[in-house]
Amino acid sequence: MGERTEEDRTAGTPTDPASIDTPDLKAAAGRRPTSTFSGFGLDLPGHFAARHPAIAALLLVVVIVVSSLAIPKLHFDDNLQRVFASRAETSESLTSGRNVVVLAESDHPFTAADFSAMRDFSLELQLLDRAEFVLSPFSMRFSTADADHPGEAVFPFDIKDADIAARLAAYRASDPDIRPLISADMKSALIFVALDGSMKRGALRAKLDDIRALSKEFTKTGLAYELTGVDAIAFDIAGAIKSDLIRLNGAGCVIAIILAFLIFGTIRTTLVVVAPALVGAGVSLALFVAFGFPVTVLSNVVPILVLVLGIADSIHLTMHYLVETEGTRRERLTQTISDVGPACALTALTTAIGFGAIGATSNVPLRELAILGAAGVMASFMVVLVGFTLIAPFCKPPAENKRSLLMRAPVPAFFERWALGRSRLVIALAVVVMAGGLYSVSRTEMWFPLFQNMPETSDVRLANDRIEKAFGGYFRLWIDLDVSGDNALETKKGWARMKHLVESVETAAPDYSVLSVVTAARWLGEPDRAPTEEELAKLDATQRAQLLSPDGNTAHVIVFVPEPMRDHTSLRLQDAITEAAKAAGAERVYGFPAVLRHNALPMIRQLAEGLMGACIVAVIVVAAAFRWPMLAPALLFPNVLPLVLAAAALHVVNNGQVNPTAVLALTVAFGIAVDDSIHFANRYRLERSIGLDVDEALRVAIGQTGRVMIITTVLIAAGVMVTLTSAFSTVRLFGIMLILTFFVALVADLLLLPAILRLKWFRRPKWFAET
């Protein structure tokens, strides 16, 4: 392989890609003109650190110290409704306090001794401080109109001498409107504990711990108890988030260090690559505290993403510093910051745009994620650029024969051969693949169940599964009816409206438990009239508040349902309940199940709109930075295609369901994937600026920048791969979507992008050329 001659260069004679790193080209690189490529001033901290290293080092130490002091103050989100709710009026009514659900279980049908122990446990729960009331199997009573047991408790005082099975069978037969709190096989039972709704989160967590401690004491009797409910689920998720944060970031650091060492082969260079990125990840964690945001299931991945992106920038800078420059250390450093700094700044900016697009939703945790992601990426870039500038001079460029295998490995010739030799065919095939991908995406379904946000091994999640199988559900769907004025329950018209509403709901979902004043009237044996004040006064004040508002102008109907997107049947039934209630005159249908049903899907649409906006804004920003208008459409196709194919892959990786996590991953992935396009376009620009023709410049970009693109893609994917160990299926899906997008984007950048740049329409106009 001979060196290229000046005639080769000016004539654009094709050369072998193995010869692109010749001394002639390096000499030409040293004569490159001042770049007109703009990093919007974001690369200036690197130049400042090069000129004033002492001041820059002092500022960096301050950042490290402040971040180290902030990280221990991290707190984790334990408010489940924040994950789904976007409007305050859809939050769950707390008229009955905070409900804790206790599932009691046995591996055999309950015996009289089991029931006695369970009743003792229920009594102890009632005695807990700030427990408003306890609803248990021992609260169940026969209707006052029952022929055999009028008004009697289903469980008599002396359980041992009673035929409990016969009494339960009689209760089910005589009062089908009130579902018993014991399963049909008598192996599980439910106990509801209503706690004071004014308790703060810390006090509530402590109270749940008290209930757990009490349940462990009674486990000795042979029964097993497990807590669940909205708040119990939230605290369970918060604990898993903390474990995930430690595991993901710890594993990510180890993987990053190992891969960096494999790439560069020396400990010193590995530290140059990894150390600034680790500091950047620490800064991103400190931003949680600075903004006052809790760590959530999804924002948990921000630090590991910041880490791998910081390492990717470090690799681009270090490879250029060690391989692509000549002269003194200061000259090489200045050249690296000038050539690669703006590109790294632009990649940080486009990634921040991707994160920022997430803020298009009205969901508070997603807005927090948008702020944390964008700020974390930009702060990490500044830290990495300054850190690299300060410590890179301690590295020596390795001799050609001492470079690691990865530093010397050529890019497969397939990319150059197809991108430059069959460019139109490549574009045509890409169009066909895009069309197929879009059709596949159109066949996906928007879906976002609650259980996907819970750790898969969680005891609470497993308890929820068993409750739904045995009892149907325990989430309360609230239905309000105006019973004031002419519609008062005491009037014939008002009571008829109330009965019609309840009967409509019961018809829509015959297998779900429904509680209302109509239920109380049936229990009193007077279903054709409203209970009197004296009759209602027999109820506990908190129990009465579940049925009527304090002023008596609103009647509440409570339906115990499973989470709506547990499956399609549950979704259909909740929709049927809502439609039937509204048709019967209900003012509103609300509660946590309504939040789950109605807020998740608009969230997906808002995220999708944000994704489209991010794609357009990002390529426009890149084109403006390069001062190359047609670069925007040239970048759009190669970077949207990976998103479409990754979304189409949901048929394989997520049962064809699109949830907020999937769209969120695609949005973040676009901001990251476009980074390679920026570095490729930047190298192409640099080679064109020294006089190479289009094909020759593309060969150099594929051969040199392509190698770094492959390395950084593998490194980022390896770092993100730690998400596959998460306890949350949503986090694992997030990682899978990112990895799929990254690798498809790499192929598109090395194959489709150069094929597009060869087209006459997309070439940089002479009046924009650098001279």
Side-chain angles (χ1 to χ4, degrees):
M1 301 288 178
E3 294 182 359
R4 288 176 292 175
T5 65
E6 185 65 24
E7 290 77 10
D8 289 333
R9 190 178 295 113
T10 56
T13 304
T15 60
D16 190 273
S19 66
I20 58 180
D21 195 22
T22 64
D24 283 351
L25 187 56
K26 285 187 176 181
R31 299 191 300 273
R32 281 175 181 151
T34 302
S35 175
T36 61
F37 173 38
S38 170
F40 299 108
L42 296 174
D43 53 319
L44 292 180
H47 292 291
F48 176 85
R51 291 193 300 269
H52 309 286
I55 298 176
L58 179 60
L59 292 174
L60 190 58
V61 168
V62 171
V63 169
I64 294 172
V65 171
V66 172
S67 298
S68 300
L69 294 175
I71 290 175
K73 298 178 182 178
L74 286 170
H75 65 287
F76 300 85
D77 195 0
D78 58 8
N79 188 340
L80 186 60
Q81 294 192 54
R82 276 176 24 98
V83 177
F84 295 90
S86 59
R87 297 182 301 274
E89 66 271 17
T90 59
S91 62
E92 183 178 13
S93 170
L94 297 177
T95 54
S96 61
R98 297 183 179 276
N99 276 265
V100 178
V101 183
V102 182
L103 173 65
E105 295 179 293
S106 174
D107 56 3
H108 58 266
F110 294 132
T111 63
D114 292 333
F115 282 124
S116 295
M118 198 186 307
R119 181 162 64 182
D120 292 342
F121 176 59
S122 300
L123 291 173
E124 290 291 338
L125 290 174
Q126 183 69 67
L127 295 175
L128 283 174
D129 181 41
R130 307 191 76 172
E132 295 185 337
F133 75 90
V134 174
L135 180 65
S136 71
F138 312 98
S139 307
M140 298 188 303
R141 289 182 173 275
F142 287 97
S143 166
T144 56
D146 187 84
D148 299 320
H149 312 282
E152 292 181 15
V154 174
F155 289 85
F157 179 78
D158 189 355
I159 294 179
K160 294 181 180 179
D161 293 338
D163 187 348
I164 300 300
R167 293 179 72 88
L168 280 172
Y171 176 80
R172 288 189 175 95
S174 66
D175 201 352
D177 297 319
I178 303 178
R179 303 290 191 276
L181 299 177
I182 298 176
S183 63
D185 61 4
M186 291 184 63
K187 292 183 179 181
S188 56
L190 292 181
I191 302 172
F192 290 84
V193 184
L195 300 175
D196 183 356
S198 65
M199 278 194 296
K200 299 201 178 288
R201 303 300 292 176
L204 178 60
R205 183 190 289 271
K207 189 58 61 178
L208 289 179
D209 289 340
D210 290 343
I211 296 175
R212 285 194 176 91
L214 184 62
S215 68
K216 286 182 181 179
E217 288 295 321
F218 279 88
T219 301
K220 299 175 183 177
T221 62
L223 299 178
Y225 296 96
E226 184 58 55
L227 270 62
T228 185
V230 173
D231 293 305
I233 292 172
F235 291 133
D236 186 63
I237 291 175
I241 292 173
K242 186 174 183 179
S243 299
D244 251 22
L245 181 69
I246 297 171
R247 181 173 58 254
L248 297 185
N249 287 280
C253 290
V254 172
I255 291 174
I257 293 171
I258 293 173
L259 289 179
F261 181 78
L262 291 176
I263 293 169
F264 293 100
T266 67
I267 295 177
R268 182 178 297 181
T269 309
T270 299
L271 289 176
V272 171
V273 171
V274 175
L278 288 174
V279 175
V283 171
S284 72
L285 274 173
L287 288 176
F288 282 86
V289 179
F291 288 118
F293 295 159
V295 183
T296 66
V297 173
L298 290 177
S299 65
N300 200 16
V301 302
V302 168
I304 187 65
L305 285 177
V306 168
L307 173 65
V308 296
L309 292 176
I311 291 178
D313 280 344
S314 290
I315 289 176
H316 278 287
L317 291 164
T318 304
M319 289 284 280
H320 194 278
Y321 175 80
L322 296 179
V323 178
E324 302 292 328
T325 58
E326 291 184 338
T328 66
R329 293 181 179 182
R330 178 174 290 277
E331 289 172 344
R332 294 201 312 273
L333 191 60
T334 301
Q335 187 67 50
T336 297
I337 297 172
S338 297
D339 286 350
V340 184
C344 290
L346 196 56
T347 60
L349 187 58
T350 56
T351 304
I353 290 172
F355 271 109
I358 299 168
T361 70
S362 56
N363 180 268
V364 174
L366 289 182
R367 285 184 173 179
E368 293 173 355
L369 174 61
I371 295 171
L372 289 166
V377 167
M378 296 307 299
S380 175
F381 161 72
M382 296 293 183
V383 169
V384 168
L385 186 61
V386 171
F388 165 81
T389 304
L390 293 175
I391 63 179
F394 294 98
C395 291
K396 294 181 179 180
E400 181 74 28
N401 60 351
K402 291 186 178 181
R403 295 178 185 174
S404 69
L405 179 63
L406 290 176
M407 290 179 70
R408 292 183 286 110
V411 175
F414 164 83
F415 292 106
E416 179 188 325
R417 186 167 61 248
W418 277 78
L420 305 184
R422 299 178 177 86
S423 55
R424 295 186 182 276
L425 177 59
V426 167
I427 295 172
L429 289 175
V431 171
V432 173
V433 172
M434 173 72 89
L438 288 172
Y439 174 76
S440 182
V441 171
S442 70
R443 309 295 295 178
T444 57
E445 177 185 22
M446 292 191 295
W447 200 257
F448 193 29
L450 169 64
F451 67 83
Q452 287 185 351
N453 286 272
M454 299 178 65
E456 287 191 342
T457 57
S458 163
D459 290 336
V460 176
R461 175 173 174 169
L462 297 176
N464 289 346
D465 291 339
R466 296 194 294 273
I467 289 174
E468 290 180 351
K469 289 178 181 177
F471 300 96
Y474 64 87
F475 291 114
R476 293 174 300 163
L477 185 67
W478 294 75
I479 303 171
D480 281 359
L481 182 69
D482 179 17
V483 291
S484 62
D486 294 339
N487 294 320
L489 294 178
E490 293 77 13
T491 67
K492 186 175 182 180
K493 174 186 174 183
W495 185 245
R497 288 178 72 247
M498 188 69 214
K499 285 187 62 179
H500 176 60
L501 171 62
V502 172
E503 290 169 355
S504 298
V505 170
E506 291 173 336
T507 300
D511 294 327
Y512 293 165
S513 295
V514 181
L515 294 180
S516 68
V517 289
V518 175
T519 310
R522 292 168 178 168
W523 181 82
L524 291 168
E526 299 289 347
D528 295 326
R529 66 169 178 84
T532 65
E533 287 293 332
E534 292 75 15
E535 291 169 332
L536 289 175
K538 297 177 183 178
L539 299 175
D540 181 273
T542 311
Q543 293 175 318
R544 183 184 182 283
Q546 292 188 86
L547 306 181
L548 292 169
S549 63
D551 60 9
N553 292 331
T554 302
H556 304 302
V557 178
I558 307 168
V559 188
F560 291 89
V561 300
E563 61 167 295
M565 292 190 188
R566 183 76 187 181
D567 50 46
H568 287 85
T569 299
S570 299
L571 182 65
R572 178 179 55 79
L573 286 175
Q574 180 162 316
D575 286 346
I577 292 171
T578 301
E579 292 172 6
K582 290 183 176 179
E587 285 185 273
R588 61 173 182 156
V589 179
Y590 59 104
F592 191 59
V595 172
L596 296 176
R597 171 64 181 95
H598 297 292
N599 284 11
L601 301 189
M603 191 190 307
I604 297 173
R605 286 190 288 269
Q606 290 170 352
L607 284 171
E609 293 168 358
L611 171 59
M612 291 186 287
C615 293
I616 296 171
V617 172
V619 296
I620 291 175
V621 168
V622 174
F626 278 92
R627 303 180 185 179
W628 183 359
M630 290 306 294
L631 185 60
L635 292 180
L636 194 60
F637 187 18
N639 284 284
V640 170
L641 178 60
L643 304 184
V644 172
L645 295 184
L650 287 169
H651 288 285
V652 177
V653 300
N654 201 43
N655 299 317
Q657 296 173 349
V658 180
N659 59 24
T661 302
V663 187
L664 181 66
L666 293 176
T667 306
V668 174
F670 175 83
I672 298 174
V674 77
D675 294 359
D676 279 345
S677 299
I678 293 170
H679 284 291
F680 186 93
N682 184 46
R683 185 55 184 259
Y684 171 71
R685 175 193 63 82
L686 288 172
E687 301 308 324
R688 288 285 285 154
S689 72
I690 63 172
L692 271 64
D693 70 4
V694 171
D695 281 4
E696 190 71 5
L698 288 172
R699 284 192 180 90
V700 175
I702 293 173
Q704 294 299 301
T705 303
R707 178 190 302 150
V708 184
M709 289 162 57
I710 293 173
I711 290 173
T712 55
T713 298
V714 171
L715 187 144
I716 292 174
V720 172
M721 199 171 292
V722 299
T723 60
L724 303 185
T725 66
S726 173
F728 297 93
S729 61
T730 50
V731 176
R732 295 200 301 274
L733 177 64
F734 185 87
I736 291 171
M737 297 294 287
L738 286 180
I739 293 170
L740 284 174
T741 306
F742 292 158
F743 280 108
V744 177
L746 174 66
V747 174
D749 284 330
L750 290 177
L751 200 60
L752 181 57
L753 179 58
I756 292 175
L757 292 178
R758 291 188 77 241
L759 298 178
K760 184 177 181 180
W761 293 346
F762 297 102
R763 294 183 184 180
R764 199 174 191 187
K766 291 182 179 179
W767 48 280
F768 271 101
E770 294 165 326
T771 59

